Amino acid sequence: MREHFAYVQGMWTRLEERAGIAVVNPTDERVIGVAAAGSANDVTRAVRAASRAFREWAGLPVAERAEFLRAIADGLQDRIDEIAALITAEVGTPLAISQRIQAGLPIASFRAAADLVGEVEWSAELGNSLVLKEPLGVVGAITPWNYPLHQVAAKVSAALAAGCTVVVKPSELAPFSALLLAEVADEVGLPPGVLNVVPGDGITGEALVAHELVDVVSFTGSPATGRRIGELAARAPKPVLLELGGKSASVLLDGLSEETEQAALADAVKSCLLNSGQTCTALTRLVVPRDRLDAALSTVGDLMDQYPAGDPTEPTTKLGPLVSQRQYDSVIAHIESAIDSGAKLAHGGPVRYPELPRGYFVRPTVLVAGSSADPIAREEVFGPVLTVLAHDGEDDAVRIANDSEYGLSGAVWSEDRDRAIAVARRIRAGQIDICGGKFNPLAPFGGVKRSGFGRELGSYGIEEFLHTKSLQC
Ligand code: NAD
């Protein structure tokens, strides 16, 4: 583990002395490493390196940049087991899911960026103008802990494909996979300065956002931090991409067959419990026809019982711990306050598993909200907590789904696919799954309202790091 080191200008450099931050395994509460906290000077060194490397990287033929991205994907693929185990230790994700999502998605992102960058329309004629696409410059990328390498890879792969250079500031709770990515980039001979990683906290992050040589900021994290980053970036001003939180609704329309209803509920539970509910797109509001409420609660409870909690390295475990004591306390507080303010507890609750005395485990919990105005129907809990709401028909279901400050994702279920699409068009969110539609890593990903703005993944993700220039001839 490269503790206290940053990757800057193609070299591992010791950070200036600032107290490190303990990285704790959330399953056994043991310290597994120390995340160094980069200072403003450390950030400056990394940003200068990225700035120096920019012209040459932007000037490389696109096919050569794509080759580097493919080599990074191959390098990550070679270390997929190590990545999965590392993120399971940092975050608590069950190992099989770590393998598929935490380690698998980043590899897919680098491959997709390599394939798609060839399709960018770099120049077009418009009357007497030549319209050019050019990379924005130096990217400051700040990422959270829940999918620590995926979020880094989504930003880095797209930015490098576009011809930008990057300084990454990973989360202090799960910093090590970003350093592993730097190792891979180093091994494949990525030119020095093109990718730099400076571990740290909010102080490091603010220094990065505010640095005059950072041309664009790409942030994933909480709405509160997003707001702060937006304020700092506005001072320059410089563009920001914000991927923030969510409180996404799975809407079941009336008239579902037993089989479709079962599939819809299983999908909602799976989404809500993925990564112990620490997923920004989690479907944490279940909106069901009023006459199906009781049946839905009973089925959801049975489904949640099929998610045994425990050591995430055990193959039988389907629910790991939350990432930290702080996250545990916050989720328990949400559950207790919802119960105190009248929400009905239908499953789980704020009670520890007696067989799991250590680790930040929270039981899958179902709360029935009386109205979409209830705090538990509005606040992002970021834990394995499902809020169920009853609707009185299609318009009411749309009203409930839209009665949220967030607009990240959603799901709509109907026996009639066209009806589901028509309802999905009325819901304000960045991505909506229709009747069980699967996650598409090439589809644009991002939110509206308080969930942020800008899009990641696939060709839309690359476009975010380009600007448009016109030459009048
Ligand atoms: P967070 O906002 O606390 O931290 C995210 C990152 O920002 C970390 O690297 C942190 O060090 C850094 N940071 C903190 N304060 C900063 C500041 N003042 N200036 C600059 N950087 C600062 O979020 P978190 O707790 O790591 O992640 C959980 C949140 O992220 C949830 O709200 C979740 O919904 C959201 N999230 C969103 C998406 C998405 O794509 N929309 C994906 C994952 C997580």
Side-chain angles (χ1 to χ4, degrees), residues 97 147 248-252 260-279 281-288 295-308 318-319 347 363-367 383-388 411 413 433:
I97 299 172
Y147 292 92
S248 301
S250 178
V251 173
L252 276 60
T260 309
E261 185 179 277
Q262 183 74 26
L265 297 175
D267 180 75
V269 168
K270 185 175 173 193
S271 165
C272 181
L273 300 187
L274 178 66
N275 210 22
S276 295
Q278 303 165 119
T279 302
T281 50
L283 300 170
T284 51
R285 289 185 296 154
L286 178 64
V287 186
V288 299
L297 290 176
S298 155
T299 306
V300 160
D302 292 347
L303 286 162
M304 285 188 166
D305 286 338
Q306 293 165 27
Y307 283 77
K318 289 178 86 176
L319 193 75
H347 191 81
R363 288 173 191 269
T365 294
V366 182
L367 293 156
V385 179
L386 182 67
T387 300
V388 184
W413 291 81
D433 301 335

Side-chain angles (χ1 to χ4, degrees), residues 142-147 151 169-173 200-207 209 219-226 228-229 232 242-246 278-281 326-327 380 382 406 408 445-447 451 456:
I142 300 177
T143 52
W145 44 264
N146 55 339
Y147 292 92
Q151 284 137 349
K169 205 257 356 127
S171 166
E172 56 273 46
L173 293 183
D201 52 11
I203 294 171
T204 323
E206 292 207 5
V209 175
F219 170 74
T220 300
S222 63
T225 308
R228 173 72 183 144
I229 285 176
L232 287 174
L242 300 178
E243 300 284 3
L244 308 175
Q278 303 165 119
T279 302
C280 51
T281 50
R326 189 165 157 228
Q327 193 68 16
E380 185 185 50
F382 230 52
Y406 293 107
L408 188 55
F445 179 93
S451 293
E456 296 201 291

